[in-house]
Amino acid sequence: MCCDAAIITNSPPWLLASYPEGNLFQLTQEEIQILLAREGREKLFLQGITLAGTKCLLIRDNLYTEGNNTMDLRTKGQSRGSQAVTVVQIESVYLVVMGQKGTEGGPLNLKAFEMAGYIREAIHQHMAHF
């Protein structure tokens, strides 16, 4: 279902980890800053967002909505077909996953939300040992 993934943070805007054979390793600090900014989010629907040099349309933005913390995008105007992208907040980091061609945004969002749950659980178990 997923063909690419990255973990990013906002303070400072930084790429922490990524799938080496994907494109998300090319995420820039500026792209991360725009993606994760809390102010002026409504203009992202009009302007779109660039991720690793690829223009994306913002479909749904619940990134800072408590209990959801996800954002859905879709790559646009590409000859190879568009791809769904989901961003999910996990504590102070964000997981970015890109679906394979043909993967719908809904199932990808669920998968990313699930993955975030496993990561959150692992963080809490790890912290419990200290």
Side-chain angles (χ1 to χ4, degrees):
M1 179 182 285
C2 303
C3 69
D4 202 355
I7 294 182
I8 57 176
T9 185
N10 200 18
S11 48
W14 209 252
L15 174 67
L16 298 176
S18 66
Y19 177 61
E21 293 168 32
N23 288 326
L24 292 174
F25 75 91
Q26 296 177 25
L27 278 165
T28 67
Q29 281 187 290
E30 186 185 6
E31 289 171 342
I32 293 168
Q33 210 166 1
I34 291 167
L35 179 70
L36 301 181
R38 286 183 179 267
E39 304 300 315
R41 298 193 64 76
E42 54 287 333
K43 73 178 181 219
L44 299 178
F45 281 102
L46 299 171
Q47 296 173 351
I49 299 173
T50 303
L51 297 179
T54 302
K55 262 309 238 179
C56 297
L57 297 170
L58 180 55
I59 308 297
R60 200 173 300 109
D61 183 13
N62 294 316
L63 194 58
Y64 296 115
T65 303
E66 195 58 47
N68 187 321
N69 302 105
T70 64
M71 169 195 256
D72 295 317
L73 307 109
R74 184 160 279 283
T75 62
K76 78 176 213 186
Q78 308 216 308
S79 54
R80 58 189 167 102
S82 70
Q83 291 169 274
V85 178
T86 294
V87 181
V88 60
Q89 184 179 13
I90 311 163
E91 311 292 331
S92 62
V93 298
Y94 301 80
L95 172 66
V96 182
V97 291
M98 183 175 282
Q100 292 178 341
K101 281 178 228 102
T103 300
E104 292 297 321
L108 183 67
N109 182 299
L110 283 173
K111 177 57 88 180
F113 195 77
E114 228 173 71
M115 291 161 77
Y118 296 137
I119 295 169
R120 257 188 221 103
E121 203 174 292
I123 290 169
H124 291 297
Q125 285 177 350
H126 177 75
M127 298 311 262
H129 295 301
F130 289 100

Coordinates of all heavy atoms in Angstrom, one line a residue, residues 1-6 19 22-25 27 50-56 73-76 78 80-87 95-101 103-104 108-109 111-112 115:
M1 N 0.8 -1.2 0.0 CA 0.0 0.0 0.0 C 0.9 1.3 0.0 O 0.5 2.2 -0.6 CB -0.9 0.0 1.2 CG -1.8 1.2 1.3 SD -2.9 1.3 2.8 CE -4.1 0.1 2.3
C2 N 2.0 1.3 0.8 CA 2.9 2.4 0.9 C 4.1 2.2 0.0 O 4.6 1.1 -0.1 CB 3.3 2.7 2.3 SG 2.0 2.9 3.4
C3 N 4.6 3.3 -0.6 CA 5.8 3.1 -1.4 C 6.9 4.1 -0.9 O 8.0 4.0 -1.4 CB 5.5 3.4 -2.9 SG 5.1 5.1 -3.3
D4 N 6.6 4.9 0.0 CA 7.6 5.9 0.5 C 7.1 6.4 1.9 O 5.9 6.4 2.2 CB 7.7 7.1 -0.4 CG 9.0 7.8 -0.3 OD1 9.8 7.5 0.6 OD2 9.2 8.7 -1.1
A5 N 8.1 6.7 2.7 CA 7.8 7.2 4.1 C 8.9 8.1 4.6 O 10.1 7.9 4.2 CB 7.5 6.0 5.0
A6 N 8.5 9.0 5.5 CA 9.6 9.8 6.2 C 9.0 10.2 7.5 O 7.8 10.2 7.8 CB 9.8 11.1 5.3
Y19 N 12.7 6.6 3.9 CA 12.9 5.4 3.1 C 13.9 5.7 2.0 O 13.7 6.6 1.2 CB 11.6 4.9 2.5 CG 11.7 3.7 1.6 CD1 12.1 2.5 2.1 CD2 11.3 3.8 0.2 CE1 12.2 1.4 1.3 CE2 11.3 2.7 -0.6 CZ 11.8 1.5 -0.1 OH 11.9 0.4 -0.9
G22 N 12.9 6.0 -1.8 CA 11.8 6.8 -2.2 C 12.3 8.2 -2.6 O 13.4 8.5 -2.8
N23 N 11.3 9.2 -2.6 CA 11.6 10.6 -2.9 C 11.5 11.5 -1.7 O 12.1 12.6 -1.8 CB 10.6 11.1 -4.0 CG 10.9 10.5 -5.4 OD1 12.1 10.2 -5.7 ND2 9.9 10.3 -6.1
L24 N 10.9 11.0 -0.7 CA 10.7 11.9 0.5 C 11.9 12.3 1.2 O 12.0 13.2 2.0 CB 9.7 11.3 1.4 CG 8.2 11.2 0.9 CD1 7.3 10.4 1.9 CD2 7.6 12.6 0.6
F25 N 13.1 11.6 0.9 CA 14.3 12.0 1.5 C 14.8 13.4 1.0 O 15.6 14.0 1.6 CB 15.4 10.9 1.2 CG 16.0 11.0 -0.2 CD1 17.1 11.8 -0.5 CD2 15.4 10.2 -1.2 CE1 17.6 11.8 -1.8 CE2 15.9 10.2 -2.5 CZ 17.0 11.0 -2.8
L27 N 12.8 16.0 1.0 CA 12.0 17.0 1.6 C 12.9 18.1 2.1 O 14.0 17.9 2.8 CB 11.2 16.5 2.8 CG 9.9 15.8 2.6 CD1 9.5 15.0 3.8 CD2 8.9 16.8 2.2
T50 N 4.2 21.7 -1.8 CA 5.2 21.0 -2.5 C 5.9 20.1 -1.5 O 6.3 20.6 -0.4 CB 6.2 22.0 -3.1 OG1 5.5 22.8 -4.0 CG2 7.3 21.2 -3.9
L51 N 6.1 18.8 -1.8 CA 6.8 17.9 -1.0 C 7.9 17.2 -1.8 O 7.6 16.6 -2.8 CB 5.8 16.8 -0.4 CG 4.7 17.2 0.5 CD1 3.8 16.0 0.9 CD2 5.3 17.9 1.7
A52 N 9.1 17.4 -1.4 CA 10.2 16.8 -2.1 C 10.2 17.2 -3.6 O 10.4 16.4 -4.5 CB 10.3 15.3 -1.9
G53 N 9.8 18.4 -3.9 CA 9.7 18.9 -5.2 C 8.5 18.6 -6.0 O 8.3 19.0 -7.1
T54 N 7.6 17.8 -5.4 CA 6.3 17.4 -6.1 C 5.2 18.2 -5.6 O 4.9 18.3 -4.4 CB 6.1 15.9 -5.8 OG1 7.2 15.1 -6.3 CG2 4.8 15.4 -6.5
K55 N 4.4 18.8 -6.5 CA 3.2 19.6 -6.1 C 2.1 18.7 -5.7 O 1.9 17.7 -6.3 CB 2.7 20.4 -7.4 CG 3.1 21.8 -7.5 CD 2.9 22.7 -6.4 CE 2.0 23.9 -6.6 NZ 1.9 24.7 -5.5
C56 N 1.5 19.1 -4.6 CA 0.4 18.3 -4.0 C -0.8 19.2 -3.7 O -0.7 20.3 -3.4 CB 0.8 17.6 -2.7 SG 2.2 16.5 -2.8
L73 N -3.2 14.5 1.3 CA -2.9 15.2 0.1 C -2.9 14.2 -1.0 O -3.0 13.0 -0.9 CB -1.5 15.8 0.3 CG -1.2 16.6 1.5 CD1 -0.3 15.9 2.5 CD2 -0.6 17.9 1.1
R74 N -2.8 14.8 -2.2 CA -2.6 14.0 -3.4 C -1.7 14.7 -4.4 O -1.8 15.9 -4.6 CB -4.0 13.8 -4.1 CG -3.9 12.9 -5.3 CD -5.3 12.3 -5.7 NE -5.7 11.2 -4.9 CZ -5.2 9.9 -5.1 NH1 -4.2 9.7 -5.9 NH2 -5.6 9.0 -4.3
T75 N -0.7 14.0 -4.9 CA 0.2 14.5 -5.9 C -0.6 15.0 -7.1 O -1.6 14.3 -7.4 CB 1.4 13.6 -6.3 OG1 0.8 12.4 -6.9 CG2 2.2 13.1 -5.1
K76 N -0.1 16.0 -7.8 CA -0.9 16.5 -8.9 C -0.1 16.6 -10.2 O 1.1 16.8 -10.2 CB -1.6 17.8 -8.6 CG -0.8 19.0 -8.6 CD -1.7 20.2 -8.3 CE -1.2 21.4 -9.1 NZ -1.9 22.6 -8.8
Q78 N 0.9 14.7 -12.7 CA 2.0 13.9 -13.0 C 1.6 12.9 -14.1 O 0.6 12.3 -14.0 CB 2.5 13.2 -11.8 CG 2.8 14.2 -10.7 CD 3.9 13.8 -9.9 OE1 4.0 12.7 -9.4 NE2 4.9 14.7 -9.7
R80 N 2.8 10.0 -14.4 CA 2.8 8.7 -13.9 C 1.6 8.4 -13.0 O 1.5 7.4 -12.4 CB 4.1 8.4 -13.1 CG 4.4 9.4 -12.0 CD 5.8 9.1 -11.5 NE 6.2 10.2 -10.6 CZ 6.1 10.2 -9.3 NH1 5.7 9.1 -8.7 NH2 6.5 11.3 -8.6
G81 N 0.7 9.3 -13.0 CA -0.6 9.1 -12.2 C -0.4 9.7 -10.8 O 0.7 9.8 -10.3
S82 N -1.5 10.2 -10.2 CA -1.3 10.8 -8.9 C -1.3 9.8 -7.8 O -1.7 8.6 -7.9 CB -2.5 11.8 -8.6 OG -3.7 11.0 -8.5
Q83 N -0.7 10.2 -6.6 CA -0.6 9.3 -5.5 C -1.1 10.0 -4.2 O -0.9 11.2 -4.1 CB 0.9 9.0 -5.3 CG 1.4 8.1 -6.4 CD 3.0 8.0 -6.3 OE1 3.7 8.8 -6.8 NE2 3.4 6.9 -5.6
A84 N -1.7 9.2 -3.3 CA -2.2 9.8 -2.1 C -1.0 9.9 -1.1 O -0.1 9.1 -1.1 CB -3.2 8.8 -1.5
V85 N -1.1 10.9 -0.3 CA -0.1 11.2 0.8 C -0.8 11.5 2.1 O -1.8 12.2 2.0 CB 0.9 12.4 0.4 CG1 1.9 12.6 1.5 CG2 1.5 12.2 -0.9
T86 N -0.4 10.9 3.2 CA -1.0 11.2 4.5 C 0.2 11.6 5.4 O 1.2 11.0 5.4 CB -1.7 9.9 5.1 OG1 -2.8 9.7 4.2 CG2 -2.2 10.2 6.5
V87 N -0.1 12.6 6.2 CA 0.8 13.1 7.3 C 0.0 12.9 8.6 O -1.2 13.2 8.7 CB 1.1 14.6 7.1 CG1 2.1 15.0 8.2 CG2 1.7 14.9 5.7
L95 N 4.7 11.5 10.8 CA 5.0 10.5 9.8 C 4.3 10.9 8.5 O 3.2 11.3 8.5 CB 4.3 9.2 10.3 CG 4.3 8.0 9.4 CD1 5.8 7.5 9.1 CD2 3.5 6.9 10.0
V96 N 5.1 10.8 7.4 CA 4.6 11.1 6.1 C 4.7 9.8 5.3 O 5.7 9.2 5.2 CB 5.5 12.2 5.4 CG1 4.9 12.5 4.0 CG2 5.6 13.5 6.3
V97 N 3.5 9.4 4.8 CA 3.5 8.2 4.0 C 2.9 8.5 2.6 O 1.9 9.2 2.5 CB 2.8 7.0 4.6 CG1 3.5 6.5 5.8 CG2 1.4 7.3 5.0
M98 N 3.5 7.9 1.6 CA 3.0 8.0 0.2 C 2.5 6.7 -0.2 O 3.2 5.7 -0.1 CB 4.1 8.5 -0.7 CG 3.6 8.8 -2.1 SD 4.8 9.5 -3.2 CE 4.7 11.2 -2.7
G99 N 1.3 6.7 -0.8 CA 0.7 5.4 -1.3 C 1.2 5.0 -2.6 O 1.6 5.9 -3.4
Q100 N 1.1 3.8 -2.9 CA 1.4 3.3 -4.3 C 0.4 3.9 -5.2 O -0.7 4.2 -4.8 CB 1.5 1.8 -4.4 CG 2.6 1.2 -3.6 CD 2.6 -0.3 -3.6 OE1 1.6 -0.9 -3.9 NE2 3.7 -0.9 -3.3
K101 N 0.7 3.9 -6.5 CA -0.3 4.4 -7.5 C -1.5 3.5 -7.4 O -1.4 2.3 -7.2 CB 0.3 4.3 -8.9 CG 1.2 5.4 -9.3 CD 1.8 5.2 -10.7 CE 3.2 5.4 -10.7 NZ 4.2 4.4 -10.7
T103 N -3.6 3.6 -4.9 CA -4.1 3.5 -3.5 C -4.9 4.7 -3.2 O -4.5 5.8 -3.4 CB -2.9 3.4 -2.5 OG1 -2.1 2.2 -2.8 CG2 -3.4 3.3 -1.1
E104 N -6.1 4.5 -2.7 CA -7.0 5.6 -2.3 C -6.5 6.3 -1.0 O -5.9 5.7 -0.2 CB -8.4 5.2 -2.2 CG -9.1 4.7 -3.5 CD -9.2 5.8 -4.5 OE1 -9.5 7.0 -4.1 OE2 -8.9 5.6 -5.7
L108 N -5.2 4.7 2.9 CA -3.8 5.1 3.3 C -3.8 5.9 4.6 O -3.0 5.7 5.5 CB -3.2 6.0 2.2 CG -1.8 6.4 2.4 CD1 -0.8 5.2 2.4 CD2 -1.3 7.5 1.5
N109 N -4.9 6.7 4.8 CA -5.0 7.5 6.0 C -5.2 6.5 7.2 O -4.5 6.7 8.2 CB -6.2 8.4 6.0 CG -6.4 9.3 7.2 OD1 -6.6 8.7 8.3 ND2 -6.3 10.6 7.1
K111 N -4.2 3.4 7.4 CA -2.9 2.7 7.6 C -1.9 3.6 8.3 O -1.2 3.1 9.2 CB -2.3 2.3 6.2 CG -1.0 1.6 6.2 CD -1.0 0.3 7.1 CE -1.4 -0.9 6.4 NZ -1.3 -2.1 7.2
A112 N -1.8 4.8 7.9 CA -0.9 5.8 8.6 C -1.3 6.0 10.0 O -0.4 6.0 10.9 CB -0.8 7.1 7.8
M115 N -0.2 2.9 11.9 CA 1.2 2.9 12.1 C 1.6 3.9 13.2 O 2.5 3.6 14.1 CB 1.9 3.3 10.8 CG 1.8 2.3 9.7 SD 2.2 2.9 8.1 CE 3.9 3.1 8.1

